[in-house]
Short mmCIF file of all heavy atoms in Angstrom, two decimals:
data_model
loop_
_atom_site.label_atom_id
_atom_site.label_comp_id
_atom_site.label_asym_id
_atom_site.label_seq_id
_atom_site.Cartn_x
_atom_site.Cartn_y
_atom_site.Cartn_z
N GLN A 198 60.65 109.47 136.93
CA GLN A 198 61.62 108.39 136.48
C GLN A 198 61.04 107.52 135.62
O GLN A 198 60.00 107.04 135.78
CB GLN A 198 62.14 107.79 137.77
CG GLN A 198 62.78 108.75 138.85
CD GLN A 198 63.37 108.02 140.00
OE1 GLN A 198 64.25 107.23 139.92
NE2 GLN A 198 62.79 108.32 141.09
N GLY A 199 61.86 107.24 134.58
CA GLY A 199 61.22 106.32 133.54
C GLY A 199 61.71 104.93 133.78
O GLY A 199 62.04 104.64 135.08
N GLY A 200 61.68 104.09 132.76
CA GLY A 200 62.11 102.69 132.95
C GLY A 200 60.99 101.78 133.30
O GLY A 200 59.95 102.16 133.45
N ASN A 201 61.39 100.55 133.48
CA ASN A 201 60.39 99.51 133.76
C ASN A 201 59.95 99.66 135.24
O ASN A 201 60.63 100.04 136.07
CB ASN A 201 61.17 98.07 133.67
CG ASN A 201 60.04 96.97 133.82
OD1 ASN A 201 59.61 96.68 134.92
ND2 ASN A 201 59.80 96.27 132.67
N GLU A 202 58.67 99.48 135.49
CA GLU A 202 58.13 99.62 136.74
C GLU A 202 58.78 98.74 137.77
O GLU A 202 58.66 99.09 139.07
CB GLU A 202 56.57 99.46 136.74
CG GLU A 202 56.27 97.95 136.67
CD GLU A 202 54.67 97.64 136.78
OE1 GLU A 202 54.04 98.72 136.99
OE2 GLU A 202 54.24 96.53 136.72
N SER A 203 59.47 97.65 137.49
CA SER A 203 60.12 96.86 138.50
C SER A 203 61.48 97.35 138.76
O SER A 203 62.18 96.83 139.78
CB SER A 203 60.17 95.35 137.95
OG SER A 203 61.00 95.33 136.84
N GLU A 204 62.02 98.33 138.01
CA GLU A 204 63.39 98.83 138.36
C GLU A 204 63.44 99.51 139.57
O GLU A 204 62.56 100.39 139.93
CB GLU A 204 63.93 99.66 137.25
CG GLU A 204 64.16 98.82 135.79
CD GLU A 204 64.62 99.81 134.76
OE1 GLU A 204 64.88 101.00 134.96
OE2 GLU A 204 64.65 99.28 133.59
N GLU A 205 64.52 99.46 140.43
CA GLU A 205 64.63 100.27 141.64
C GLU A 205 64.80 101.68 141.30
O GLU A 205 65.55 102.04 140.36
CB GLU A 205 65.86 99.78 142.31
CG GLU A 205 65.95 100.42 143.81
CD GLU A 205 67.14 99.86 144.67
OE1 GLU A 205 67.12 98.57 144.75
OE2 GLU A 205 67.78 100.72 145.19
N LYS A 206 64.03 102.54 141.92
CA LYS A 206 63.95 103.95 141.61
C LYS A 206 64.98 104.76 142.62
O LYS A 206 65.14 104.29 143.77
CB LYS A 206 62.58 104.55 141.68
CG LYS A 206 61.57 103.87 140.72
CD LYS A 206 62.04 104.09 139.31
CE LYS A 206 61.00 103.65 138.36
NZ LYS A 206 60.69 102.17 138.30
N LYS A 207 65.46 105.84 142.16
CA LYS A 207 66.30 106.68 143.07
C LYS A 207 65.31 107.46 144.04
O LYS A 207 64.23 107.81 143.55
CB LYS A 207 67.14 107.50 142.20
CG LYS A 207 68.20 106.69 141.42
CD LYS A 207 69.13 107.63 140.59
CE LYS A 207 70.10 106.69 139.66
NZ LYS A 207 70.97 107.48 138.91
N ALA A 208 65.83 108.00 145.01
CA ALA A 208 65.17 108.86 145.87
C ALA A 208 65.88 110.13 146.20
O ALA A 208 67.12 110.14 146.19
CB ALA A 208 64.80 108.19 147.21
N CYS A 209 65.18 111.19 146.41
CA CYS A 209 65.87 112.52 146.67
C CYS A 209 66.22 112.69 148.16
O CYS A 209 65.41 112.22 148.98
CB CYS A 209 64.86 113.65 146.20
SG CYS A 209 64.42 113.59 144.51
N GLN A 210 67.17 113.29 148.43
CA GLN A 210 67.63 113.58 149.67
C GLN A 210 66.78 114.53 150.52
O GLN A 210 66.32 115.57 149.88
CB GLN A 210 69.20 114.20 149.69
CG GLN A 210 70.27 113.25 149.20
CD GLN A 210 71.60 113.96 149.15
OE1 GLN A 210 71.79 115.06 149.62
NE2 GLN A 210 72.64 113.30 148.66
N PHE A 211 66.41 114.05 151.77
CA PHE A 211 65.71 115.09 152.60
C PHE A 211 66.63 115.06 153.89
O PHE A 211 66.47 114.04 154.74
CB PHE A 211 64.26 114.69 152.92
CG PHE A 211 63.65 115.75 153.65
CD1 PHE A 211 62.79 116.71 153.13
CD2 PHE A 211 63.84 115.89 155.05
CE1 PHE A 211 62.22 117.79 153.76
CE2 PHE A 211 63.20 117.00 155.84
CZ PHE A 211 62.30 117.84 155.11
N LYS A 212 67.53 115.89 154.14
CA LYS A 212 68.35 115.92 155.34
C LYS A 212 67.77 116.63 156.49
O LYS A 212 66.99 117.67 156.30
CB LYS A 212 69.64 116.70 154.94
CG LYS A 212 70.46 116.09 153.72
CD LYS A 212 71.75 116.94 153.48
CE LYS A 212 72.59 116.31 152.30
NZ LYS A 212 73.74 117.11 152.04
N ARG A 213 67.97 116.13 157.63
CA ARG A 213 67.40 116.74 158.78
C ARG A 213 67.86 118.10 159.05
O ARG A 213 67.15 118.87 159.69
CB ARG A 213 67.59 115.86 160.05
CG ARG A 213 69.09 115.74 160.51
CD ARG A 213 69.14 114.77 161.66
NE ARG A 213 68.54 115.02 162.89
CZ ARG A 213 68.35 114.28 163.94
NH1 ARG A 213 68.87 113.11 163.88
NH2 ARG A 213 67.67 114.68 164.97
N SER A 214 69.05 118.41 158.51
CA SER A 214 69.46 119.86 158.74
C SER A 214 68.63 120.88 158.02
O SER A 214 68.61 122.10 158.34
CB SER A 214 70.85 119.95 158.09
OG SER A 214 71.03 119.59 156.80
N LEU A 215 67.76 120.48 157.07
CA LEU A 215 66.82 121.35 156.47
C LEU A 215 65.71 121.83 157.49
O LEU A 215 65.28 122.80 157.25
CB LEU A 215 66.03 120.66 155.24
CG LEU A 215 66.99 120.27 154.03
CD1 LEU A 215 66.11 119.26 153.14
CD2 LEU A 215 67.33 121.46 153.36
N LEU A 216 65.60 121.08 158.55
CA LEU A 216 64.53 121.59 159.49
C LEU A 216 65.17 122.55 160.52
O LEU A 216 64.47 122.92 161.39
CB LEU A 216 64.14 120.17 160.34
CG LEU A 216 63.57 119.18 159.41
CD1 LEU A 216 63.28 117.88 160.39
CD2 LEU A 216 62.33 119.60 158.67
N GLN A 217 66.38 122.97 160.34
CA GLN A 217 66.98 124.10 161.08
C GLN A 217 66.76 123.94 162.53
O GLN A 217 67.22 123.04 163.20
CB GLN A 217 66.56 125.39 160.48
CG GLN A 217 66.82 125.66 158.93
CD GLN A 217 66.26 126.82 158.41
OE1 GLN A 217 66.56 127.94 158.95
NE2 GLN A 217 65.62 126.83 157.30
N ASN A 218 66.03 124.84 163.19
CA ASN A 218 65.82 124.82 164.61
C ASN A 218 65.15 123.66 165.17
O ASN A 218 65.07 123.41 166.34
CB ASN A 218 65.17 126.09 165.07
CG ASN A 218 65.93 127.38 164.80
OD1 ASN A 218 67.14 127.37 164.73
ND2 ASN A 218 65.32 128.56 164.91
N CYS A 219 64.50 122.84 164.21
CA CYS A 219 63.74 121.67 164.60
C CYS A 219 64.45 120.40 164.17
O CYS A 219 63.81 119.29 164.19
CB CYS A 219 62.29 121.77 164.07
SG CYS A 219 61.20 122.91 164.94
N SER A 220 65.67 120.53 163.91
CA SER A 220 66.45 119.44 163.38
C SER A 220 67.08 118.51 164.61
O SER A 220 67.41 117.34 164.34
CB SER A 220 67.66 119.82 162.51
OG SER A 220 68.64 120.52 163.31
N GLY A 221 67.20 119.20 165.64
CA GLY A 221 67.76 118.36 166.81
C GLY A 221 69.26 118.41 166.84
O GLY A 221 69.90 117.70 167.65
N ILE A 222 69.85 119.20 165.92
CA ILE A 222 71.27 119.20 165.82
C ILE A 222 71.80 120.25 166.82
O ILE A 222 72.63 119.99 167.58
CB ILE A 222 71.68 119.55 164.34
CG1 ILE A 222 71.23 118.45 163.41
CG2 ILE A 222 73.19 119.73 164.31
CD1 ILE A 222 71.40 118.68 161.87
N GLU A 223 71.43 121.56 166.65
CA GLU A 223 71.87 122.59 167.51
C GLU A 223 71.18 122.61 168.91
O GLU A 223 71.74 122.81 169.87
CB GLU A 223 71.72 124.03 166.83
CG GLU A 223 72.52 124.23 165.62
CD GLU A 223 72.50 125.61 165.17
OE1 GLU A 223 71.90 126.42 165.84
OE2 GLU A 223 73.00 125.90 164.05
N ASP A 224 69.90 122.20 168.92
CA ASP A 224 69.24 122.06 170.04
C ASP A 224 68.66 120.59 170.22
O ASP A 224 67.56 120.32 169.56
CB ASP A 224 67.93 123.06 170.14
CG ASP A 224 67.16 122.87 171.36
OD1 ASP A 224 67.55 122.08 172.35
OD2 ASP A 224 66.06 123.51 171.40
N PRO A 225 69.39 119.70 170.96
CA PRO A 225 69.06 118.39 170.98
C PRO A 225 67.58 118.13 171.69
O PRO A 225 67.10 117.04 171.69
CB PRO A 225 70.13 117.75 171.89
CG PRO A 225 71.30 118.70 171.76
CD PRO A 225 70.57 119.99 171.64
N THR A 226 67.10 119.19 172.27
CA THR A 226 65.77 118.99 172.96
C THR A 226 64.59 119.45 172.15
O THR A 226 63.47 119.37 172.53
CB THR A 226 65.70 119.69 174.20
OG1 THR A 226 65.68 121.08 174.20
CG2 THR A 226 66.92 119.33 175.19
N PHE A 227 64.89 119.85 170.88
CA PHE A 227 63.92 120.27 169.92
C PHE A 227 62.91 121.37 170.53
O PHE A 227 61.76 121.38 170.26
CB PHE A 227 63.02 119.08 169.47
CG PHE A 227 63.70 118.00 168.71
CD1 PHE A 227 64.15 116.96 169.47
CD2 PHE A 227 63.95 118.10 167.41
CE1 PHE A 227 64.87 115.88 168.77
CE2 PHE A 227 64.67 117.04 166.72
CZ PHE A 227 65.06 115.96 167.41
N GLY A 228 63.49 122.26 171.40
CA GLY A 228 62.67 123.30 171.96
C GLY A 228 61.87 123.00 173.18
O GLY A 228 61.22 123.82 173.83
N TYR A 229 61.76 121.64 173.49
CA TYR A 229 60.88 121.16 174.62
C TYR A 229 61.44 121.70 175.88
O TYR A 229 60.58 122.01 176.80
CB TYR A 229 60.77 119.68 174.58
CG TYR A 229 59.82 119.16 173.50
CD1 TYR A 229 60.20 118.99 172.14
CD2 TYR A 229 58.51 118.84 173.84
CE1 TYR A 229 59.38 118.56 171.27
CE2 TYR A 229 57.63 118.34 172.80
CZ TYR A 229 58.08 118.23 171.52
OH TYR A 229 57.21 117.80 170.53
N SER A 230 62.75 121.81 176.10
CA SER A 230 63.25 122.27 177.36
C SER A 230 63.03 123.85 177.56
O SER A 230 63.22 124.24 178.79
CB SER A 230 64.82 122.00 177.39
OG SER A 230 65.47 122.82 176.29
N LYS A 231 62.65 124.43 176.53
CA LYS A 231 62.32 125.89 176.71
C LYS A 231 60.83 126.18 176.65
O LYS A 231 60.39 127.31 176.59
CB LYS A 231 63.00 126.68 175.46
CG LYS A 231 64.46 126.52 175.49
CD LYS A 231 65.05 127.04 174.12
CE LYS A 231 66.65 126.71 174.07
NZ LYS A 231 67.11 127.39 172.79
N GLY A 232 59.94 125.08 176.47
CA GLY A 232 58.58 125.34 176.31
C GLY A 232 58.21 125.78 174.79
O GLY A 232 57.12 126.40 174.65
N GLN A 233 59.10 125.50 173.90
CA GLN A 233 58.76 125.92 172.57
C GLN A 233 58.94 124.60 171.57
O GLN A 233 59.92 124.57 170.90
CB GLN A 233 59.83 126.90 172.11
CG GLN A 233 59.74 128.25 172.94
CD GLN A 233 60.79 129.27 172.47
OE1 GLN A 233 61.88 128.92 172.04
NE2 GLN A 233 60.34 130.52 172.71
N PRO A 234 58.01 123.77 171.73
CA PRO A 234 58.16 122.37 171.14
C PRO A 234 58.14 122.43 169.54
O PRO A 234 57.38 123.37 168.98
CB PRO A 234 57.01 121.72 171.65
CG PRO A 234 55.98 122.70 171.95
CD PRO A 234 56.77 123.88 172.44
N CYS A 235 58.87 121.58 168.97
CA CYS A 235 58.80 121.30 167.52
C CYS A 235 58.03 120.09 167.30
O CYS A 235 58.11 119.18 167.99
CB CYS A 235 60.18 120.98 166.98
SG CYS A 235 61.30 122.43 166.89
N ILE A 236 57.13 120.14 166.25
CA ILE A 236 56.35 119.05 165.87
C ILE A 236 56.50 118.83 164.36
O ILE A 236 56.47 119.79 163.55
CB ILE A 236 54.88 119.23 166.23
CG1 ILE A 236 54.62 119.39 167.86
CG2 ILE A 236 53.91 118.19 165.70
CD1 ILE A 236 53.17 119.61 168.17
N LEU A 237 56.60 117.58 163.89
CA LEU A 237 56.79 117.36 162.49
C LEU A 237 55.50 116.95 161.85
O LEU A 237 54.78 116.16 162.48
CB LEU A 237 57.90 116.25 162.33
CG LEU A 237 59.26 116.52 162.99
CD1 LEU A 237 60.10 115.31 162.94
CD2 LEU A 237 59.90 117.88 162.51
N LEU A 238 55.33 117.33 160.67
CA LEU A 238 54.16 116.94 159.85
C LEU A 238 54.62 116.23 158.63
O LEU A 238 55.43 116.80 157.84
CB LEU A 238 53.36 118.27 159.50
CG LEU A 238 51.99 118.01 158.78
CD1 LEU A 238 51.00 117.56 159.91
CD2 LEU A 238 51.49 119.27 158.10
N LYS A 239 53.88 115.08 158.29
CA LYS A 239 54.27 114.43 157.06
C LYS A 239 52.86 114.01 156.41
O LYS A 239 51.91 113.73 156.96
CB LYS A 239 55.05 113.37 157.33
CG LYS A 239 54.48 112.03 157.86
CD LYS A 239 55.58 110.98 158.05
CE LYS A 239 54.91 109.64 158.37
NZ LYS A 239 54.34 109.10 157.19
N MET A 240 52.98 114.09 155.01
CA MET A 240 51.85 113.59 154.37
C MET A 240 51.80 112.05 154.22
O MET A 240 52.90 111.52 153.91
CB MET A 240 51.80 114.28 152.88
CG MET A 240 51.28 115.63 152.84
SD MET A 240 50.84 116.15 151.15
CE MET A 240 52.50 116.71 150.54
N ASN A 241 50.64 111.52 154.08
CA ASN A 241 50.73 110.04 153.87
C ASN A 241 51.13 109.70 152.40
O ASN A 241 50.78 110.53 151.52
CB ASN A 241 49.26 109.44 154.11
CG ASN A 241 48.90 109.53 155.50
OD1 ASN A 241 49.71 109.63 156.49
ND2 ASN A 241 47.54 109.32 155.82
N ARG A 242 51.80 108.61 152.20
CA ARG A 242 52.28 108.32 150.83
C ARG A 242 51.13 107.70 149.98
O ARG A 242 50.38 106.81 150.34
CB ARG A 242 53.33 107.20 150.94
CG ARG A 242 54.58 107.70 151.70
CD ARG A 242 55.59 106.61 151.87
NE ARG A 242 56.75 107.00 152.71
CZ ARG A 242 57.80 106.16 152.85
NH1 ARG A 242 57.80 104.93 152.36
NH2 ARG A 242 58.83 106.46 153.59
#
């Protein structure tokens, strides 16, 4: 993104539905109730 460094920048969508079986949408327990846990990994900014 160009423009002045002080201008507010736009951000790209990251929807939790992209996480599929680990989204907590279809399985609200994230697999923990079945002994198949989901863990999320993120990079530091």
Side-chain angles (χ1 to χ4, degrees):
Q198 303 181 64
N201 190 286
E202 67 174 1
S203 63
E204 293 179 7
E205 184 174 317
K206 302 298 190 293
K207 297 178 180 179
C209 299
Q210 295 177 5
F211 190 100
K212 299 178 180 179
R213 69 187 294 174
S214 58
L215 292 172
L216 302 177
Q217 300 180 50
N218 292 342
C219 287
S220 67
I222 298 173
E223 292 187 7
D224 177 9
T226 71
F227 299 95
Y229 284 80
S230 64
K231 304 172 185 175
Q233 299 177 333
C235 288
I236 296 176
L237 306 177
L238 185 77
K239 75 180 194 72
M240 280 196 274
N241 294 342
R242 300 177 183 182

